[in-house]
Amino acid sequence: MQALRAAVARAGLAGRRGMTTAAQLAAEEAKPKGSIIDTIGVYTAVPAALGVFVYDIFIHPEEEFEGEVPPYPYMRIRTRDTHPWGERGLFEVHRHVAEKHQPPPRLASLAERPGDPPPPPPPPPPLQAARSAARQLLALQRAASRAAFGGPAGGAAGGARRCASGGAGADAEAQSAARRVGKLLAAALPLSAGGALWWRSTAQPHGPSPRQVPASGETVVNWSATHTAQPTRFYQPESQEDVEAIVADCAAARRRLRVVGSGLSPNGVGFSDDGMLSMALLDRVLWVDPASMQVRVEAGCRVQQVADALKPYGLSLQNYASIREQQIGGFTQVSAHGTGAGIPPVDAQVVSLKLVTPGQGVIELSAAREPELFALARVGLGCLGVVTELTLQAVPAQRLRERTFVASGREVAHNHAAWLRDNRHLRYMWLPYTDSVVVVQVNPEGPPARPSAPLAGGAGGGAAGGAGGGAAMSPYGDVVQEEAVDEKALAHRLAPLRQLLASEVPGAASGAAGLSATELRDALLALRPLDRAWVARVNAAEAEFWKRSSGTRVGWADQILGFDCGGQQWVLEVAFPIGRAGDVTSPERTSSTDLAYMRELLRTIEAAGLPAHAPIEQRWTASSASPLSPAAAGPGTAGPAAPDTVHSWVGIIMYLPSDDPGQRAAITDRFREYADLVQERLMPRFGATWHWAKIEAPTSPARLAAMRAALAARFPLGAFAAARARLDPHNVLGSEMLDQLLGPPGASGAPGAAAAAAAAEAGAGAAARA
């Protein structure tokens, strides 16, 4: 089973498949003068037709596309009535569209994909008939008015009647008829207008839309099943033009639209109950330039796809996060990160990007073209525009050697500065209620590859390993070199977890034989996930597993830098500056802000008796020049942090190991208590801020106000709001959560000055108090 158990969103959405035909509007021939039926027919049908006509022309109802959501990892779509977590609470193992993913050819529509069933018949004719009928009824209304009242162009009949009736009698008759018709019209107009609007809201709109999938009660679920949405519109564009049409349509109608990637974000930052746009089909690598070591990709391209496309050129991305199934657009928009004190978060790899905006259409941004807006847009949270293309800066590919071992807290404190200085990538995994810290050190193995044109015959060959001393590239898919592990050695590693499970569940040995370490941990935690003593025993067994698993392995960056994150989970990750690189790695340094944070966190956990699941992961990055990156300026600073400022990232976790709704709800409540302790006791003290994909808006007004104050003290929300007002003046791309945290476009986004100043002061003094 994969580290992230994913459900494939094979979305045969059960919504209605066709467009409802337009109401057949017909006018009978005029009945004899004075007929009440004629009056009702004319003065009720005409306003109804006018209502339909005006609504159709000016209000721009949403359009619908005849298609299906393609398979895509991790994000699921389920119907309301199905069990939310699957039959056994475990997602199916994800295998992508093909073993070796190749972007499908660009087709005219989803319905034309090879192997799919024949497309449904075309929708019935659109509302041209209704519009034509409306025009006819307007003409009929004018004719009826002229016949009844003999207007300026009332025709011969009206004039003849007035002459025959004579003077006052004719005037009285006309006034009486006018009063009767006026009363009928006054009563019929609101009813017919309301009926027209109701009819238009229940009928399907006219014409095919740009890639809108029919939706009728479906629920979109993120991979941890912690957040859901029931969007009324779900778009699947296949081209740049599709995205432009969708954004323009939503902007004209002022309808909300959020961009969703792989559905991996723990907080569902891309979810919306209004409209969602998936970039999954915009997944091409457009070009690779070995000379500049840059690559241009569509925003829906997955991180692993980019890594695979770069390998034949002897290139790699500078860093990778724990997993590689993210879409590049979401990967950069939330400032995702790997680890390495000298390597910034992934948004720093963005050289230029293309935005489709509601307010200004399509714009291309780079450091040379509107640099301030570009810096904001690199970490724009999907609020400044839909990112459709990005140019990324790559680096020469290089094999890496990973060393994993377990150290005590004292050993970590003694060696921390040297380890941070001497290792390109460093990760700690703290195991609560133990004195064990899993240390993962990763460094280059041999010379880097020499960037070149694609190698003949695929990813392997001699071009990258020719003259110049570059390393030869191996084909993707080679087994990572590591110490040989036979069944006996694997059983020895897993024995502590298996034995603990067997002690609690007699007869579990045979069933546990095929489970990995993370699956065994889930099985153990599912027994008593909120029992502190039991969780401590599980953590101790995991510590023993890691001691027995110490060793090395060698592979390319995308193979080595990943991390098995385990199963479904709640997570909170924060970042805080710890000082300049030269200072934090100095041998003379006697204290470390990052280790002080961990000591305080572990003390808080033990004092509160929290059932803290393992591991608590700690990583480091350099600063980012993107103002909204958590690794940008520290609290109270007037500008960006120095490029060599080191930031520590710490993530706490609680797993959701079963599908039992009661257990999941109890874990959720306990995790919120856990997160509140971190947010209220540690984050202000150390000047920490939230990872954008892991921040959760509090339900408490007081806590929400405190969170907004902390964000306003940390980030330039006023400049960000001004950029939103320019690019998205009607807040089409916002969401309820982001409005709560950042304020609407054009707003300063800042809370009261005193609260902001207090938050800034609290963060600025973190190092001294630590």
Side-chain angles (χ1 to χ4, degrees):
M1 188 172 68
Q2 301 281 346
L4 293 177
R5 297 167 300 183
V8 177
R10 184 62 191 170
L13 293 184
R16 285 172 292 183
R17 289 294 183 174
M19 311 297 177
T20 303
T21 57
Q24 296 301 312
L25 301 177
E28 298 180 358
E29 294 183 0
K31 291 185 170 53
K33 177 179 175 297
S35 169
I36 189 67
I37 300 300
D38 179 67
T39 304
I40 293 176
V42 171
Y43 289 100
T44 301
V46 168
L50 283 173
V52 173
F53 184 79
V54 171
Y55 190 94
D56 184 58
I57 295 298
F58 297 106
I59 303 183
H60 304 288
E62 61 266 26
E63 299 172 338
E64 188 163 320
F65 175 65
E66 295 288 326
E68 293 183 344
V69 181
Y72 204 72
Y74 307 131
M75 184 175 66
R76 302 187 297 150
I77 296 183
R78 61 174 170 81
T79 58
R80 241 174 239 177
D81 297 328
T82 58
H83 195 286
W85 319 124
E87 292 182 359
R88 295 177 298 154
L90 302 179
F91 285 149
E92 298 175 5
V93 176
H94 165 63
R95 299 196 181 280
H96 202 54
V97 178
E99 290 294 328
K100 299 278 189 178
H101 174 78
Q102 296 294 331
R106 301 296 106 182
L107 301 177
S109 74
L110 288 171
E112 298 176 16
R113 289 195 178 280
D116 282 352
L127 291 183
Q128 278 83 2
R131 293 175 179 170
S132 175
R135 296 189 186 97
Q136 294 175 11
L137 287 170
L138 285 172
L140 179 61
Q141 183 190 38
R142 295 190 188 99
S145 299
R146 293 165 185 164
F149 308 120
R161 280 197 304 274
R162 278 198 301 275
C163 292
S165 301
D171 290 343
E173 181 183 351
Q175 291 172 11
S176 176
R179 283 193 295 270
R180 288 197 304 270
V181 171
K183 291 178 181 178
L184 288 170
L185 183 59
L189 183 58
L191 294 175
S192 59
L197 292 175
W198 172 83
W199 178 77
R200 288 297 288 119
S201 68
T202 56
Q204 295 293 338
H206 64 87
S209 90
R211 307 297 183 250
Q212 182 174 334
V213 178
S216 177
E218 288 73 20
T219 300
V220 181
V221 189
N222 70 336
W223 77 270
S224 264
T226 54
H227 289 271
T228 63
Q230 292 184 341
T232 57
R233 295 168 303 280
F234 193 93
Y235 298 95
Q236 282 277 37
E238 287 190 1
S239 67
Q240 173 76 24
E241 293 72 24
D242 285 348
V243 177
E244 293 173 21
I246 292 166
V247 172
D249 183 54
C250 291
R254 301 190 183 182
R255 294 193 304 261
R256 282 288 180 94
L257 181 70
R258 286 297 292 166
V259 182
V260 64
S262 302
L264 288 163
S265 294
N267 64 353
V269 68
F271 283 9
S272 170
D273 286 333
D274 298 315
M276 290 171 60
L277 184 151
S278 169
M279 297 294 289
L281 298 181
L282 283 158
D283 61 352
R284 295 177 300 168
V285 176
L286 300 175
W287 51 257
V288 178
D289 180 13
S292 64
M293 295 192 294
Q294 293 180 357
V295 56
R296 183 78 168 185
V297 302
E298 291 182 319
C301 205
R302 294 177 299 123
V303 173
Q304 188 63 64
Q305 287 176 255
V306 180
D308 293 348
L310 289 173
K311 274 195 175 79
Y313 295 86
L315 296 171
S316 172
L317 294 179
Q318 186 182 33
N319 210 350
Y320 294 88
S322 298
I323 55 177
R324 294 169 302 285
E325 288 295 338
Q326 307 101 321
Q327 291 181 9
I328 288 290
F331 188 54
T332 57
Q333 282 287 286
V334 298
S335 191
H337 65 97
T339 188
I343 305 173
V346 299
D347 55 277
Q349 301 175 30
V350 179
V351 175
S352 65
L353 56 84
K354 181 180 288 186
L355 278 180
V356 179
T357 71
Q360 296 200 348
V362 181
I363 58 176
E364 181 86 18
L365 299 174
S366 67
R369 186 180 302 172
E370 297 202 62
E372 293 183 1
L373 184 59
F374 169 63
L376 285 170
R378 288 202 303 186
V379 184
L381 309 178
C383 292
L384 298 182
V386 178
V387 179
T388 56
E389 294 180 11
L390 306 92
T391 301
L392 305 174
Q393 184 64 56
V395 298
Q398 192 167 20
R399 294 177 75 82
L400 301 176
R401 176 175 292 274
E402 175 191 87
R403 179 187 175 216
T404 302
F405 60 96
V406 177
S408 66
R410 184 181 295 274
E411 289 172 324
V412 169
H414 179 73
N415 295 287
H416 177 58
W419 287 346
L420 203 58
R421 178 183 65 247
D422 297 339
N423 293 283
R424 178 183 288 183
H425 308 274
L426 179 68
R427 173 190 288 115
Y428 293 161
M429 292 184 285
W430 301 77
L431 309 179
Y433 300 109
T434 75
D435 187 30
S436 298
V437 184
V438 182
V439 180
V440 183
Q441 301 170 343
V442 181
N443 290 292
E445 175 82 0
R450 179 172 58 86
S452 67
L455 308 182
M473 294 294 295
S474 0
Y476 175 71
D478 278 2
V479 176
V480 178
Q481 296 177 10
E482 58 185 333
E483 297 173 355
V485 180
D486 57 21
E487 288 298 323
K488 184 176 179 180
L490 181 60
H492 175 69
R493 292 181 178 184
L494 295 173
L497 296 166
R498 289 176 175 175
Q499 290 169 4
L500 183 59
L501 182 61
S503 70
E504 292 292 318
V505 184
S510 59
L515 298 183
S516 68
T518 54
E519 291 167 337
L520 285 166
R521 180 180 59 201
D522 269 5
L524 288 164
L525 289 173
L527 299 176
R528 295 190 293 279
L530 299 179
D531 183 327
R532 188 207 64 80
W534 174 249
V535 170
R537 291 180 64 189
V538 175
N539 292 352
E542 184 171 353
E544 185 61 29
F545 160 79
W546 282 110
K547 290 175 183 177
R548 300 181 182 201
S549 301
S550 297
T552 63
R553 60 181 187 146
V554 178
W556 300 106
D558 59 297
Q559 297 169 316
I560 292 294
L561 294 177
F563 170 65
D564 190 339
C565 297
Q568 295 179 4
Q569 59 196 244
W570 281 106
V571 61
L572 169 68
E573 187 175 25
V574 303
F576 52 95
I578 63 173
R580 304 285 292 270
D583 297 331
V584 301
T585 60
S586 171
E588 288 78 28
R589 189 175 181 89
T590 58
S591 63
S592 302
T593 304
D594 44 0
L595 296 189
Y597 181 96
M598 288 307 307
R599 286 192 295 270
E600 187 63 27
L601 174 57
L602 294 172
R603 279 197 295 264
T604 300
I605 288 170
E606 294 186 7
L610 289 167
H613 299 177
I616 299 175
E617 188 179 17
Q618 186 170 31
R619 293 177 284 177
W620 294 265
T621 68
S623 289
S624 168
S626 304
L628 258 67
S629 170
T637 58
D644 65 342
T645 297
V646 179
H647 298 255
S648 182
W649 302 70
V650 178
I652 62 171
I653 196 167
M654 274 194 182
Y655 295 101
L656 297 162
S658 83
D659 63 340
D660 178 73
Q663 185 184 88
R664 294 175 74 96
I667 294 172
T668 298
D669 292 341
R670 196 70 166 124
F671 180 78
R672 286 173 179 161
E673 296 176 20
Y674 189 4
D676 288 342
L677 286 174
V678 171
Q679 292 170 146
E680 294 171 6
R681 296 188 185 181
L682 274 73
M683 290 181 65
R685 176 178 173 182
F686 289 88
T689 194
W690 295 265
H691 188 308
W692 287 114
K694 300 170 185 177
I695 187 173
E696 302 278 355
T699 56
S700 161
R703 286 190 169 124
L704 179 60
M707 181 176 284
R708 287 197 61 181
L711 292 171
R714 182 65 174 255
F715 300 109
L717 296 189
F720 188 64
R724 292 177 69 192
R726 171 186 167 191
L727 302 180
D728 184 19
H730 301 300
N731 201 15
V732 170
L733 300 176
S735 69
E736 181 180 355
M737 183 186 78
L738 291 175
D739 288 349
Q740 286 180 314
L741 299 179
L742 308 178
S748 66
E761 181 182 355
R769 288 192 295 273

PDB file of all heavy atoms in Angstrom, residues 688-712:
ATOM      1  N   ALA A 688       6.432  32.271  15.171  1.00  0.00           N
ATOM      2  CA  ALA A 688       6.110  31.276  14.139  1.00  0.00           C
ATOM      3  C   ALA A 688       4.852  31.673  13.384  1.00  0.00           C
ATOM      4  O   ALA A 688       3.977  32.375  13.905  1.00  0.00           O
ATOM      5  CB  ALA A 688       5.924  29.901  14.774  1.00  0.00           C
ATOM      6  N   THR A 689       4.764  31.207  12.162  1.00  0.00           N
ATOM      7  CA  THR A 689       3.555  31.402  11.366  1.00  0.00           C
ATOM      8  C   THR A 689       3.167  30.084  10.716  1.00  0.00           C
ATOM      9  O   THR A 689       3.895  29.102  10.787  1.00  0.00           O
ATOM     10  CB  THR A 689       3.751  32.489  10.299  1.00  0.00           C
ATOM     11  OG1 THR A 689       2.472  32.873   9.777  1.00  0.00           O
ATOM     12  CG2 THR A 689       4.631  32.018   9.150  1.00  0.00           C
ATOM     13  N   TRP A 690       2.019  30.059  10.071  1.00  0.00           N
ATOM     14  CA  TRP A 690       1.406  28.822   9.580  1.00  0.00           C
ATOM     15  C   TRP A 690       1.839  28.494   8.150  1.00  0.00           C
ATOM     16  O   TRP A 690       2.017  29.393   7.320  1.00  0.00           O
ATOM     17  CB  TRP A 690      -0.115  28.934   9.607  1.00  0.00           C
ATOM     18  CG  TRP A 690      -0.717  29.069  10.961  1.00  0.00           C
ATOM     19  CD1 TRP A 690      -1.224  28.069  11.747  1.00  0.00           C
ATOM     20  CD2 TRP A 690      -0.915  30.282  11.709  1.00  0.00           C
ATOM     21  NE1 TRP A 690      -1.712  28.570  12.923  1.00  0.00           N
ATOM     22  CE2 TRP A 690      -1.535  29.937  12.939  1.00  0.00           C
ATOM     23  CE3 TRP A 690      -0.608  31.624  11.473  1.00  0.00           C
ATOM     24  CZ2 TRP A 690      -1.864  30.875  13.898  1.00  0.00           C
ATOM     25  CZ3 TRP A 690      -0.927  32.566  12.439  1.00  0.00           C
ATOM     26  CH2 TRP A 690      -1.552  32.186  13.640  1.00  0.00           C
ATOM     27  N   HIS A 691       1.950  27.233   7.863  1.00  0.00           N
ATOM     28  CA  HIS A 691       2.034  26.744   6.482  1.00  0.00           C
ATOM     29  C   HIS A 691       0.658  26.974   5.862  1.00  0.00           C
ATOM     30  O   HIS A 691      -0.365  26.605   6.438  1.00  0.00           O
ATOM     31  CB  HIS A 691       2.378  25.254   6.506  1.00  0.00           C
ATOM     32  CG  HIS A 691       2.691  24.656   5.163  1.00  0.00           C
ATOM     33  ND1 HIS A 691       1.868  24.785   4.067  1.00  0.00           N
ATOM     34  CD2 HIS A 691       3.748  23.903   4.732  1.00  0.00           C
ATOM     35  CE1 HIS A 691       2.377  24.153   3.038  1.00  0.00           C
ATOM     36  NE2 HIS A 691       3.527  23.609   3.413  1.00  0.00           N
ATOM     37  N   TRP A 692       0.622  27.571   4.658  1.00  0.00           N
ATOM     38  CA  TRP A 692      -0.662  27.976   4.072  1.00  0.00           C
ATOM     39  C   TRP A 692      -1.565  26.785   3.744  1.00  0.00           C
ATOM     40  O   TRP A 692      -2.790  26.928   3.713  1.00  0.00           O
ATOM     41  CB  TRP A 692      -0.429  28.797   2.812  1.00  0.00           C
ATOM     42  CG  TRP A 692       0.079  30.179   3.081  1.00  0.00           C
ATOM     43  CD1 TRP A 692       1.295  30.701   2.751  1.00  0.00           C
ATOM     44  CD2 TRP A 692      -0.623  31.242   3.751  1.00  0.00           C
ATOM     45  NE1 TRP A 692       1.405  31.997   3.166  1.00  0.00           N
ATOM     46  CE2 TRP A 692       0.236  32.365   3.780  1.00  0.00           C
ATOM     47  CE3 TRP A 692      -1.881  31.346   4.336  1.00  0.00           C
ATOM     48  CZ2 TRP A 692      -0.128  33.574   4.359  1.00  0.00           C
ATOM     49  CZ3 TRP A 692      -2.253  32.550   4.915  1.00  0.00           C
ATOM     50  CH2 TRP A 692      -1.387  33.648   4.917  1.00  0.00           C
ATOM     51  N   ALA A 693      -1.012  25.611   3.501  1.00  0.00           N
ATOM     52  CA  ALA A 693      -1.846  24.446   3.202  1.00  0.00           C
ATOM     53  C   ALA A 693      -2.271  23.709   4.462  1.00  0.00           C
ATOM     54  O   ALA A 693      -2.995  22.716   4.374  1.00  0.00           O
ATOM     55  CB  ALA A 693      -1.095  23.485   2.276  1.00  0.00           C
ATOM     56  N   LYS A 694      -1.843  24.217   5.655  1.00  0.00           N
ATOM     57  CA  LYS A 694      -2.134  23.513   6.898  1.00  0.00           C
ATOM     58  C   LYS A 694      -2.721  24.430   7.960  1.00  0.00           C
ATOM     59  O   LYS A 694      -2.835  24.038   9.117  1.00  0.00           O
ATOM     60  CB  LYS A 694      -0.853  22.831   7.406  1.00  0.00           C
ATOM     61  CG  LYS A 694      -0.313  21.824   6.396  1.00  0.00           C
ATOM     62  CD  LYS A 694       1.071  21.305   6.723  1.00  0.00           C
ATOM     63  CE  LYS A 694       1.578  20.400   5.607  1.00  0.00           C
ATOM     64  NZ  LYS A 694       2.956  19.922   5.846  1.00  0.00           N
ATOM     65  N   ILE A 695      -3.096  25.634   7.575  1.00  0.00           N
ATOM     66  CA  ILE A 695      -3.737  26.558   8.499  1.00  0.00           C
ATOM     67  C   ILE A 695      -5.234  26.272   8.502  1.00  0.00           C
ATOM     68  O   ILE A 695      -5.832  26.011   7.459  1.00  0.00           O
ATOM     69  CB  ILE A 695      -3.441  28.016   8.105  1.00  0.00           C
ATOM     70  CG1 ILE A 695      -3.967  28.986   9.166  1.00  0.00           C
ATOM     71  CG2 ILE A 695      -3.997  28.352   6.737  1.00  0.00           C
ATOM     72  CD1 ILE A 695      -3.552  30.447   8.926  1.00  0.00           C
ATOM     73  N   GLU A 696      -5.836  26.294   9.677  1.00  0.00           N
ATOM     74  CA  GLU A 696      -7.280  26.067   9.815  1.00  0.00           C
ATOM     75  C   GLU A 696      -7.892  27.279  10.512  1.00  0.00           C
ATOM     76  O   GLU A 696      -7.427  27.687  11.582  1.00  0.00           O
ATOM     77  CB  GLU A 696      -7.563  24.812  10.650  1.00  0.00           C
ATOM     78  CG  GLU A 696      -6.955  23.534  10.091  1.00  0.00           C
ATOM     79  CD  GLU A 696      -7.800  22.903   8.995  1.00  0.00           C
ATOM     80  OE1 GLU A 696      -8.912  23.412   8.743  1.00  0.00           O
ATOM     81  OE2 GLU A 696      -7.334  21.918   8.402  1.00  0.00           O
ATOM     82  N   ALA A 697      -8.907  27.881   9.905  1.00  0.00           N
ATOM     83  CA  ALA A 697      -9.562  29.038  10.516  1.00  0.00           C
ATOM     84  C   ALA A 697     -10.321  28.602  11.763  1.00  0.00           C
ATOM     85  O   ALA A 697     -11.145  27.681  11.701  1.00  0.00           O
ATOM     86  CB  ALA A 697     -10.522  29.695   9.529  1.00  0.00           C
ATOM     87  N   PRO A 698     -10.065  29.216  12.921  1.00  0.00           N
ATOM     88  CA  PRO A 698     -10.761  28.809  14.147  1.00  0.00           C
ATOM     89  C   PRO A 698     -12.242  29.166  14.087  1.00  0.00           C
ATOM     90  O   PRO A 698     -12.660  30.110  13.391  1.00  0.00           O
ATOM     91  CB  PRO A 698     -10.059  29.620  15.249  1.00  0.00           C
ATOM     92  CG  PRO A 698      -8.825  30.184  14.624  1.00  0.00           C
ATOM     93  CD  PRO A 698      -9.095  30.292  13.162  1.00  0.00           C
ATOM     94  N   THR A 699     -13.041  28.416  14.832  1.00  0.00           N
ATOM     95  CA  THR A 699     -14.464  28.745  14.938  1.00  0.00           C
ATOM     96  C   THR A 699     -14.714  29.791  16.017  1.00  0.00           C
ATOM     97  O   THR A 699     -15.731  30.475  15.984  1.00  0.00           O
ATOM     98  CB  THR A 699     -15.273  27.473  15.258  1.00  0.00           C
ATOM     99  OG1 THR A 699     -14.748  26.871  16.452  1.00  0.00           O
ATOM    100  CG2 THR A 699     -15.164  26.472  14.121  1.00  0.00           C
ATOM    101  N   SER A 700     -13.793  29.919  16.965  1.00  0.00           N
ATOM    102  CA  SER A 700     -13.926  30.910  18.031  1.00  0.00           C
ATOM    103  C   SER A 700     -13.608  32.304  17.495  1.00  0.00           C
ATOM    104  O   SER A 700     -12.539  32.518  16.910  1.00  0.00           O
ATOM    105  CB  SER A 700     -12.977  30.579  19.187  1.00  0.00           C
ATOM    106  OG  SER A 700     -12.763  31.705  20.014  1.00  0.00           O
ATOM    107  N   PRO A 701     -14.493  33.306  17.669  1.00  0.00           N
ATOM    108  CA  PRO A 701     -14.202  34.655  17.197  1.00  0.00           C
ATOM    109  C   PRO A 701     -12.927  35.232  17.794  1.00  0.00           C
ATOM    110  O   PRO A 701     -12.163  35.914  17.094  1.00  0.00           O
ATOM    111  CB  PRO A 701     -15.443  35.462  17.627  1.00  0.00           C
ATOM    112  CG  PRO A 701     -16.533  34.445  17.746  1.00  0.00           C
ATOM    113  CD  PRO A 701     -15.865  33.192  18.223  1.00  0.00           C
ATOM    114  N   ALA A 702     -12.667  34.955  19.067  1.00  0.00           N
ATOM    115  CA  ALA A 702     -11.466  35.495  19.701  1.00  0.00           C
ATOM    116  C   ALA A 702     -10.214  34.893  19.078  1.00  0.00           C
ATOM    117  O   ALA A 702      -9.236  35.610  18.797  1.00  0.00           O
ATOM    118  CB  ALA A 702     -11.502  35.235  21.206  1.00  0.00           C
ATOM    119  N   ARG A 703     -10.211  33.576  18.859  1.00  0.00           N
ATOM    120  CA  ARG A 703      -9.044  32.929  18.256  1.00  0.00           C
ATOM    121  C   ARG A 703      -8.872  33.356  16.794  1.00  0.00           C
ATOM    122  O   ARG A 703      -7.751  33.508  16.310  1.00  0.00           O
ATOM    123  CB  ARG A 703      -9.180  31.415  18.363  1.00  0.00           C
ATOM    124  CG  ARG A 703      -8.941  30.896  19.792  1.00  0.00           C
ATOM    125  CD  ARG A 703      -8.844  29.389  19.831  1.00  0.00           C
ATOM    126  NE  ARG A 703      -8.368  28.935  21.127  1.00  0.00           N
ATOM    127  CZ  ARG A 703      -9.004  28.076  21.890  1.00  0.00           C
ATOM    128  NH1 ARG A 703     -10.173  27.576  21.505  1.00  0.00           N
ATOM    129  NH2 ARG A 703      -8.493  27.704  23.050  1.00  0.00           N
ATOM    130  N   LEU A 704      -9.982  33.545  16.088  1.00  0.00           N
ATOM    131  CA  LEU A 704      -9.889  34.024  14.714  1.00  0.00           C
ATOM    132  C   LEU A 704      -9.291  35.422  14.668  1.00  0.00           C
ATOM    133  O   LEU A 704      -8.431  35.717  13.814  1.00  0.00           O
ATOM    134  CB  LEU A 704     -11.270  34.002  14.055  1.00  0.00           C
ATOM    135  CG  LEU A 704     -11.327  34.512  12.614  1.00  0.00           C
ATOM    136  CD1 LEU A 704     -10.432  33.687  11.700  1.00  0.00           C
ATOM    137  CD2 LEU A 704     -12.769  34.507  12.099  1.00  0.00           C
ATOM    138  N   ALA A 705      -9.710  36.291  15.566  1.00  0.00           N
ATOM    139  CA  ALA A 705      -9.151  37.640  15.611  1.00  0.00           C
ATOM    140  C   ALA A 705      -7.654  37.598  15.919  1.00  0.00           C
ATOM    141  O   ALA A 705      -6.858  38.351  15.328  1.00  0.00           O
ATOM    142  CB  ALA A 705      -9.887  38.476  16.654  1.00  0.00           C
ATOM    143  N   ALA A 706      -7.246  36.716  16.821  1.00  0.00           N
ATOM    144  CA  ALA A 706      -5.828  36.597  17.147  1.00  0.00           C
ATOM    145  C   ALA A 706      -5.033  36.078  15.956  1.00  0.00           C
ATOM    146  O   ALA A 706      -3.909  36.537  15.689  1.00  0.00           O
ATOM    147  CB  ALA A 706      -5.649  35.671  18.347  1.00  0.00           C
ATOM    148  N   MET A 707      -5.606  35.145  15.219  1.00  0.00           N
ATOM    149  CA  MET A 707      -4.921  34.614  14.040  1.00  0.00           C
ATOM    150  C   MET A 707      -4.764  35.693  12.976  1.00  0.00           C
ATOM    151  O   MET A 707      -3.690  35.848  12.367  1.00  0.00           O
ATOM    152  CB  MET A 707      -5.684  33.408  13.485  1.00  0.00           C
ATOM    153  CG  MET A 707      -5.040  32.760  12.282  1.00  0.00           C
ATOM    154  SD  MET A 707      -5.924  31.273  11.731  1.00  0.00           S
ATOM    155  CE  MET A 707      -5.394  30.092  12.973  1.00  0.00           C
ATOM    156  N   ARG A 708      -5.819  36.475  12.763  1.00  0.00           N
ATOM    157  CA  ARG A 708      -5.730  37.555  11.773  1.00  0.00           C
ATOM    158  C   ARG A 708      -4.695  38.590  12.201  1.00  0.00           C
ATOM    159  O   ARG A 708      -3.945  39.117  11.361  1.00  0.00           O
ATOM    160  CB  ARG A 708      -7.095  38.220  11.597  1.00  0.00           C
ATOM    161  CG  ARG A 708      -8.101  37.375  10.848  1.00  0.00           C
ATOM    162  CD  ARG A 708      -9.261  38.215  10.341  1.00  0.00           C
ATOM    163  NE  ARG A 708      -8.802  39.246   9.424  1.00  0.00           N
ATOM    164  CZ  ARG A 708      -9.602  40.139   8.833  1.00  0.00           C
ATOM    165  NH1 ARG A 708     -10.886  40.128   9.099  1.00  0.00           N
ATOM    166  NH2 ARG A 708      -9.124  41.029   8.008  1.00  0.00           N
ATOM    167  N   ALA A 709      -4.635  38.885  13.476  1.00  0.00           N
ATOM    168  CA  ALA A 709      -3.639  39.844  13.961  1.00  0.00           C
ATOM    169  C   ALA A 709      -2.228  39.322  13.726  1.00  0.00           C
ATOM    170  O   ALA A 709      -1.337  40.077  13.291  1.00  0.00           O
ATOM    171  CB  ALA A 709      -3.860  40.124  15.448  1.00  0.00           C
ATOM    172  N   ALA A 710      -2.007  38.034  13.984  1.00  0.00           N
ATOM    173  CA  ALA A 710      -0.681  37.459  13.779  1.00  0.00           C
ATOM    174  C   ALA A 710      -0.304  37.450  12.303  1.00  0.00           C
ATOM    175  O   ALA A 710       0.845  37.747  11.934  1.00  0.00           O
ATOM    176  CB  ALA A 710      -0.639  36.051  14.356  1.00  0.00           C
ATOM    177  N   LEU A 711      -1.251  37.129  11.432  1.00  0.00           N
ATOM    178  CA  LEU A 711      -0.970  37.140   9.994  1.00  0.00           C
ATOM    179  C   LEU A 711      -0.667  38.552   9.501  1.00  0.00           C
ATOM    180  O   LEU A 711       0.230  38.758   8.679  1.00  0.00           O
ATOM    181  CB  LEU A 711      -2.154  36.545   9.229  1.00  0.00           C
ATOM    182  CG  LEU A 711      -2.404  35.046   9.422  1.00  0.00           C
ATOM    183  CD1 LEU A 711      -3.730  34.638   8.776  1.00  0.00           C
ATOM    184  CD2 LEU A 711      -1.252  34.226   8.847  1.00  0.00           C
ATOM    185  N   ALA A 712      -1.420  39.532  10.000  1.00  0.00           N
ATOM    186  CA  ALA A 712      -1.199  40.912   9.577  1.00  0.00           C
ATOM    187  C   ALA A 712       0.149  41.436  10.064  1.00  0.00           C
ATOM    188  O   ALA A 712       0.765  42.287   9.406  1.00  0.00           O
ATOM    189  CB  ALA A 712      -2.324  41.799  10.102  1.00  0.00           C
TER     190      ALA A 712
END
